[in-house]
Amino acid sequence: MSRLMRTSEIEGRPVVTYQGEDVAQVKDVVFAAAGGRVGGFTLAGRGLFAGPRKEALAWESVAALGAEAVMVESQDVLEARDAVLEKSARSGGSGGDVLGSRVLTDSGTELGTVVDVVVQVADDSSSCEVVGYEIAAAEALESKGKRLLIPLPSTISASQEYLVVPDGARDFVGNDLAGFGAAVEAFRRGLEGGA
């Protein structure tokens, strides 16, 4: 089993050790593997006036990503922020933000603008895969301005400004996160069958 969540729901979650120490909070999600997986998190301190931390948390050091917190063995697993960002860049990840990017089909139709990223977290937290975007829909989807979920193939094509999805993604657009996992599976099965 696995869980779907928006990355905006992860941002701000406390990072807690097994001993119960509240060591940081998630500031931003860092994407790796050409944007297809979460590579880690940049961190902020805890408290009203705490700013960004110089350390970050690589995904492989996450013991669990739960509904209320990110669990780690100890504070010792935190790494230099630049090292985590560099690992993401080396793996083909963006190390940057996809929010605000325009989503186009491979035939050039604009579907909307990314407002959030949907990830699928394995129950054992062994992986955290990007499976879709939440977009502010463009006219082509006949729901202009509404927030819709669009599934992604296993690999995606992205630049700083545009994210390209197959034309068939339009047929699996919806607005229900609870049912979105089934839409992603059906979409990816269709791509595999057509390959």
Side-chain angles (χ1 to χ4, degrees):
M1 290 296 293
S2 58
R3 295 166 283 129
L4 293 178
M5 62 181 72
R6 292 171 175 90
T7 55
S8 62
E9 298 169 1
I10 301 169
E11 294 166 358
R13 283 193 188 171
V15 177
V16 181
T17 68
Y18 285 147
Q19 296 75 32
E21 296 173 89
D22 189 356
V23 297
Q25 71 180 15
V26 174
K27 182 177 180 303
D28 294 305
V29 178
V30 178
F31 297 103
R37 295 204 178 279
V38 170
F41 307 109
T42 61
L43 304 172
R46 296 289 289 159
L48 187 60
F49 298 108
R53 290 187 56 152
K54 293 179 182 177
E55 300 93 0
L57 177 61
W59 178 259
E60 56 269 9
S61 297
V62 172
L65 174 56
E68 302 298 324
V70 178
M71 296 294 299
V72 295
E73 282 189 37
S74 73
Q75 187 167 337
D76 296 338
V77 301
L78 302 183
E79 301 177 42
R81 184 177 188 269
D82 289 344
V84 172
L85 294 176
E86 186 178 312
K87 276 188 217 175
S88 170
R90 279 197 320 261
S91 72
S94 65
D97 198 350
V98 296
L99 299 182
S101 296
R102 293 168 52 196
V103 178
L104 304 174
T105 66
D106 50 15
S107 64
T109 302
E110 183 172 351
L111 300 181
T113 304
V114 177
V115 294
D116 212 335
V117 178
V118 180
V119 295
Q120 186 171 33
V121 183
D123 281 342
D124 64 358
S125 295
S126 59
S127 67
C128 188
E129 179 186 4
V130 176
V131 295
Y133 297 130
E134 183 170 28
I135 62 171
E139 274 184 48
L141 292 175
E142 298 174 12
S143 299
K144 187 173 181 178
K146 288 187 178 179
R147 287 182 165 220
L148 299 174
L149 301 171
I150 186 165
L152 296 176
S154 298
T155 58
I156 58 174
S157 176
S159 71
Q160 289 279 5
E161 198 174 328
Y162 301 103
L163 304 167
V164 181
V165 299
D167 284 318
R170 294 174 69 161
D171 299 332
F172 296 91
V173 171
N175 60 5
D176 175 30
L177 187 60
F180 189 58
V184 170
E185 286 181 32
F187 170 63
R188 289 181 175 182
R189 264 195 318 271
L191 288 177
E192 291 168 5

